[in-house]
Coordinates of all heavy atoms in Angstrom, one line a residue:
I95 N -3.0 5.9 20.9 CA -3.0 4.4 21.2 C -4.4 4.0 21.5 O -4.8 2.9 21.1 CB -2.0 4.1 22.3 CG1 -0.5 4.3 21.8 CG2 -2.1 2.6 22.7 CD1 0.5 4.2 22.8
M96 N -5.1 4.7 22.3 CA -6.5 4.4 22.7 C -7.4 4.2 21.5 O -8.1 3.2 21.4 CB -7.0 5.5 23.6 CG -8.4 5.2 24.0 SD -8.5 4.1 25.4 CE -9.3 5.0 26.6
M97 N -7.3 5.1 20.5 CA -8.1 5.0 19.3 C -7.7 3.9 18.4 O -8.5 3.3 17.7 CB -8.2 6.3 18.6 CG -9.0 7.4 19.4 SD -10.7 6.9 19.7 CE -10.8 6.6 21.4
H98 N -6.4 3.5 18.4 CA -5.9 2.4 17.7 C -6.6 1.1 18.2 O -7.0 0.2 17.5 CB -4.4 2.2 17.7 CG -3.6 3.2 16.8 ND1 -3.5 2.9 15.5 CD2 -2.9 4.3 17.0 CE1 -2.8 3.9 14.9 NE2 -2.5 4.7 15.8
G99 N -6.6 1.1 19.6 CA -7.3 -0.1 20.2 C -8.8 -0.1 19.9 O -9.3 -1.2 19.6
M100 N -9.4 1.0 19.8 CA -10.8 1.1 19.5 C -11.0 0.6 18.1 O -12.0 -0.1 17.8 CB -11.3 2.5 19.6 CG -12.8 2.7 19.4 SD -13.8 2.0 20.7 CE -13.7 3.3 21.9
A101 N -10.2 1.0 17.2 CA -10.2 0.5 15.8 C -10.1 -1.0 15.7 O -10.9 -1.7 15.0 CB -9.2 1.2 14.9
G102 N -9.3 -1.6 16.5 CA -9.1 -3.0 16.6 C -10.4 -3.7 17.1 O -10.8 -4.7 16.5
L103 N -11.1 -3.1 18.0 CA -12.3 -3.7 18.5 C -13.4 -3.6 17.4 O -14.2 -4.6 17.3 CB -12.8 -2.9 19.7 CG -12.1 -3.1 21.0 CD1 -12.6 -2.2 22.1 CD2 -12.2 -4.6 21.4
F104 N -13.4 -2.6 16.6 CA -14.4 -2.5 15.5 C -14.1 -3.5 14.5 O -15.0 -4.1 13.9 CB -14.4 -1.1 14.9 CG -15.3 -0.1 15.7 CD1 -15.0 0.3 17.0 CD2 -16.5 0.4 15.1 CE1 -15.8 1.2 17.7 CE2 -17.3 1.2 15.8 CZ -17.0 1.6 17.1
H105 N -12.8 -3.7 14.2 CA -12.4 -4.8 13.2 C -12.8 -6.1 13.8 O -13.3 -7.0 13.0 CB -10.9 -4.8 12.9 CG -10.5 -3.7 12.0 ND1 -10.9 -3.7 10.7 CD2 -9.7 -2.6 12.1 CE1 -10.3 -2.7 10.1 NE2 -9.6 -2.0 10.9
F106 N -12.6 -6.4 15.0 CA -13.0 -7.6 15.7 C -14.5 -7.9 15.6 O -14.9 -9.0 15.3 CB -12.5 -7.6 17.1 CG -12.7 -8.9 17.9 CD1 -12.1 -10.1 17.5 CD2 -13.6 -9.0 18.9 CE1 -12.3 -11.3 18.1 CE2 -13.8 -10.2 19.6 CZ -13.2 -11.3 19.2
S107 N -15.3 -6.8 15.8 CA -16.7 -7.0 15.7 C -17.2 -7.3 14.3 O -18.1 -8.1 14.1 CB -17.5 -5.7 16.3 OG -17.3 -4.7 15.4
K108 N -16.5 -6.7 13.3 CA -16.9 -7.1 11.9 C -16.5 -8.5 11.7 O -17.3 -9.3 11.0 CB -16.1 -6.2 11.0 CG -16.5 -6.4 9.5 CD -15.7 -5.5 8.6 CE -16.1 -5.7 7.1 NZ -15.4 -4.9 6.2
W109 N -15.4 -9.0 12.2 CA -15.0 -10.4 12.0 C -16.0 -11.3 12.7 O -16.4 -12.3 12.1 CB -13.6 -10.5 12.6 CG -13.0 -11.9 12.5 CD1 -12.5 -12.5 11.4 CD2 -12.8 -12.8 13.6 NE1 -12.0 -13.7 11.6 CE2 -12.2 -13.9 13.0 CE3 -13.0 -12.8 14.9 CZ2 -11.8 -15.1 13.7 CZ3 -12.7 -13.9 15.7 CH2 -12.1 -15.0 15.1
I110 N -16.5 -11.0 13.8 CA -17.5 -11.8 14.5 C -18.8 -11.9 13.7 O -19.4 -12.9 13.6 CB -17.7 -11.3 16.0 CG1 -16.5 -11.6 16.8 CG2 -19.0 -11.9 16.5 CD1 -16.6 -11.0 18.2
R111 N -19.2 -10.7 13.2 CA -20.4 -10.7 12.3 C -20.2 -11.6 11.1 O -21.2 -12.3 10.7 CB -20.7 -9.3 11.9 CG -21.5 -8.5 12.9 CD -22.0 -7.2 12.3 NE -21.1 -6.4 11.5 CZ -20.3 -5.4 12.0 NH1 -20.5 -5.1 13.3 NH2 -19.5 -4.7 11.3
Q112 N -19.0 -11.6 10.5 CA -18.8 -12.4 9.3 C -18.9 -13.9 9.7 O -19.4 -14.7 8.9 CB -17.4 -12.1 8.7 CG -17.4 -10.7 8.0 CD -16.0 -10.3 7.6 OE1 -15.0 -10.8 8.1 NE2 -15.9 -9.4 6.6
I113 N -18.3 -14.2 10.8 CA -18.4 -15.6 11.3 C -19.8 -16.0 11.5 O -20.3 -17.1 11.1 CB -17.5 -15.9 12.5 CG1 -16.0 -15.7 12.2 CG2 -17.8 -17.2 13.2 CD1 -15.1 -15.8 13.4
H114 N -20.6 -15.2 12.2 CA -22.0 -15.5 12.5 C -22.8 -15.6 11.2 O -23.5 -16.6 11.0 CB -22.6 -14.3 13.3 CG -24.1 -14.5 13.5 ND1 -24.6 -15.4 14.4 CD2 -25.1 -13.8 13.0 CE1 -25.9 -15.3 14.4 NE2 -26.2 -14.3 13.5
N115 N -22.5 -14.7 10.2 CA -23.2 -14.9 8.9 C -22.8 -16.2 8.2 O -23.6 -16.8 7.5 CB -22.9 -13.7 8.0 CG -23.6 -12.4 8.5 OD1 -24.6 -12.5 9.2 ND2 -23.1 -11.3 8.1
Y116 N -21.5 -16.5 8.3 CA -21.1 -17.8 7.7 C -21.8 -19.0 8.3 O -22.3 -19.9 7.6 CB -19.6 -17.9 7.8 CG -19.0 -19.2 7.3 CD1 -18.9 -19.5 5.9 CD2 -18.7 -20.3 8.2 CE1 -18.4 -20.7 5.5 CE2 -18.2 -21.5 7.7 CZ -18.1 -21.7 6.4 OH -17.6 -22.9 5.9
L117 N -21.9 -19.0 9.6 CA -22.5 -20.1 10.3 C -24.0 -20.2 10.0 O -24.5 -21.3 9.8 CB -22.3 -19.9 11.9 CG -20.9 -20.1 12.4 CD1 -20.9 -19.8 13.9 CD2 -20.4 -21.5 12.2
T118 N -24.7 -19.1 10.0 CA -26.1 -19.1 9.7 C -26.5 -19.2 8.3 O -27.4 -20.0 7.9 CB -26.8 -17.9 10.4 OG1 -26.2 -16.7 9.9 CG2 -26.6 -17.9 11.9
A119 N -25.9 -18.4 7.4 CA -26.3 -18.3 6.0 C -25.7 -19.4 5.2 O -26.3 -20.1 4.4 CB -25.9 -16.9 5.4
T120 N -24.4 -19.6 5.4 CA -23.7 -20.6 4.5 C -23.9 -22.0 5.0 O -24.2 -22.9 4.2 CB -22.2 -20.3 4.4 OG1 -22.0 -18.9 4.0 CG2 -21.5 -21.2 3.5
L121 N -23.7 -22.2 6.3 CA -23.8 -23.6 6.9 C -25.2 -23.9 7.3 O -25.5 -25.1 7.6 CB -22.8 -23.7 8.1 CG -21.3 -23.6 7.8 CD1 -20.5 -23.8 9.0 CD2 -20.9 -24.5 6.7
G122 N -26.1 -22.9 7.4 CA -27.5 -23.2 7.7 C -27.7 -23.5 9.2 O -28.7 -24.1 9.6
I123 N -26.8 -23.1 10.1 CA -26.9 -23.3 11.5 C -28.0 -22.3 12.0 O -28.0 -21.2 11.6 CB -25.6 -23.1 12.2 CG1 -24.6 -24.3 11.8 CG2 -25.7 -23.1 13.7 CD1 -23.2 -24.1 12.3
N124 N -28.8 -22.8 12.9 CA -29.8 -21.9 13.6 C -29.1 -20.8 14.3 O -28.0 -20.9 14.9 CB -30.6 -22.8 14.6 CG -31.7 -22.0 15.2 OD1 -31.4 -21.1 16.0 ND2 -32.9 -22.3 14.9
V125 N -29.7 -19.6 14.3 CA -29.2 -18.4 14.9 C -28.8 -18.6 16.3 O -27.8 -18.2 16.8 CB -30.2 -17.2 14.7 CG1 -29.7 -16.0 15.5 CG2 -30.3 -16.8 13.2
W126 N -29.7 -19.3 17.1 CA -29.5 -19.5 18.5 C -28.3 -20.4 18.8 O -27.6 -20.3 19.7 CB -30.8 -20.0 19.2 CG -31.8 -18.9 19.2 CD1 -32.9 -18.8 18.4 CD2 -31.8 -17.7 20.0 NE1 -33.6 -17.6 18.6 CE2 -33.0 -17.0 19.6 CE3 -31.0 -17.2 21.0 CZ2 -33.3 -15.7 20.2 CZ3 -31.3 -16.0 21.6 CH2 -32.4 -15.3 21.2
I127 N -28.1 -21.4 17.9 CA -27.0 -22.3 18.0 C -25.7 -21.5 17.8 O -24.7 -21.7 18.5 CB -27.1 -23.5 17.1 CG1 -28.3 -24.3 17.5 CG2 -25.8 -24.3 17.0 CD1 -28.6 -25.5 16.6
S128 N -25.7 -20.5 16.8 CA -24.6 -19.7 16.5 C -24.3 -18.9 17.8 O -23.1 -18.7 18.2 CB -24.8 -18.8 15.3 OG -23.8 -17.9 15.2
Y129 N -25.3 -18.3 18.4 CA -25.1 -17.5 19.7 C -24.5 -18.4 20.7 O -23.6 -18.0 21.5 CB -26.4 -16.9 20.2 CG -27.0 -15.9 19.3 CD1 -28.4 -15.6 19.4 CD2 -26.2 -15.1 18.4 CE1 -28.9 -14.6 18.6 CE2 -26.8 -14.1 17.6 CZ -28.2 -13.9 17.7 OH -28.7 -12.9 17.0
A130 N -25.0 -19.7 20.8 CA -24.4 -20.6 21.8 C -23.0 -20.9 21.6 O -22.2 -21.0 22.5 CB -25.3 -21.9 21.8
I131 N -22.6 -21.0 20.3 CA -21.2 -21.2 20.0 C -20.3 -20.1 20.4 O -19.2 -20.3 21.0 CB -21.0 -21.5 18.4 CG1 -21.7 -22.8 18.1 CG2 -19.6 -21.4 18.0 CD1 -21.8 -23.1 16.6
F132 N -20.8 -18.8 20.2 CA -20.0 -17.7 20.6 C -20.0 -17.6 22.1 O -18.9 -17.2 22.7 CB -20.6 -16.4 20.0 CG -20.3 -16.1 18.6 CD1 -21.2 -16.3 17.6 CD2 -19.0 -15.7 18.3 CE1 -20.8 -16.1 16.3 CE2 -18.6 -15.5 17.0 CZ -19.5 -15.7 16.0
I133 N -21.0 -17.9 22.8 CA -21.0 -17.9 24.3 C -20.0 -18.9 24.8 O -19.2 -18.7 25.7 CB -22.4 -18.2 24.9 CG1 -23.3 -17.0 24.6 CG2 -22.4 -18.5 26.4 CD1 -24.8 -17.3 24.8
L134 N -20.0 -20.1 24.2 CA -19.1 -21.2 24.6 C -17.7 -20.8 24.3 O -16.8 -20.9 25.2 CB -19.4 -22.5 23.9 CG -18.6 -23.7 24.3 CD1 -18.7 -24.0 25.8 CD2 -19.0 -24.9 23.4
A135 N -17.4 -20.2 23.2 CA -16.1 -19.7 22.8 C -15.6 -18.6 23.8 O -14.4 -18.6 24.2 CB -16.1 -19.2 21.4
T136 N -16.5 -17.7 24.2 CA -16.1 -16.7 25.1 C -15.8 -17.3 26.5 O -14.8 -16.9 27.1 CB -17.3 -15.7 25.3 OG1 -17.6 -15.1 24.0 CG2 -17.0 -14.6 26.3
L137 N -16.5 -18.2 26.9 CA -16.2 -18.9 28.2 C -14.9 -19.6 28.2 O -14.1 -19.5 29.1 CB -17.4 -19.8 28.6 CG -18.7 -19.2 29.0 CD1 -19.8 -20.2 29.2 CD2 -18.5 -18.4 30.3
L138 N -14.7 -20.4 27.1 CA -13.4 -21.1 27.0 C -12.2 -20.2 26.9 O -11.2 -20.4 27.5 CB -13.5 -22.0 25.8 CG -14.4 -23.2 25.9 CD1 -14.5 -24.0 24.6 CD2 -14.1 -24.1 27.0
I139 N -12.3 -19.1 26.1 CA -11.2 -18.2 26.0 C -11.0 -17.5 27.4 O -9.8 -17.3 27.8 CB -11.5 -17.1 24.9 CG1 -11.4 -17.8 23.5 CG2 -10.5 -16.0 25.0 CD1 -11.9 -16.9 22.4
S140 N -12.0 -17.2 28.1 CA -11.9 -16.6 29.4 C -11.2 -17.5 30.4 O -10.3 -17.1 31.2 CB -13.3 -16.2 30.0 OG -13.9 -15.2 29.1

């Protein structure tokens, strides 16, 4: 079960990278703004 959870975290990190690449490469958002969006999302989810 522990390693199933670890696999989920790795999938989640790939998903986050894809979102970051979409924001920066496709939408042209500045890298630092993308980081700020993730920080804000983390705070709101918490």
Side-chain angles (χ1 to χ4, degrees):
I95 292 173
M96 178 79 122
M97 290 297 113
H98 280 285
M100 185 71 82
L103 288 175
F104 275 68
H105 280 297
F106 184 65
S107 71
K108 184 178 180 183
W109 182 71
I110 288 174
R111 279 193 309 268
Q112 289 173 339
I113 291 173
H114 174 73
N115 289 338
Y116 175 77
L117 292 174
T118 57
T120 306
L121 298 181
I123 293 174
N124 184 290
V125 171
W126 291 104
I127 294 173
S128 174
Y129 293 157
I131 290 169
F132 280 107
I133 291 168
L134 183 61
T136 301
L137 290 172
L138 290 175
I139 290 169
S140 299

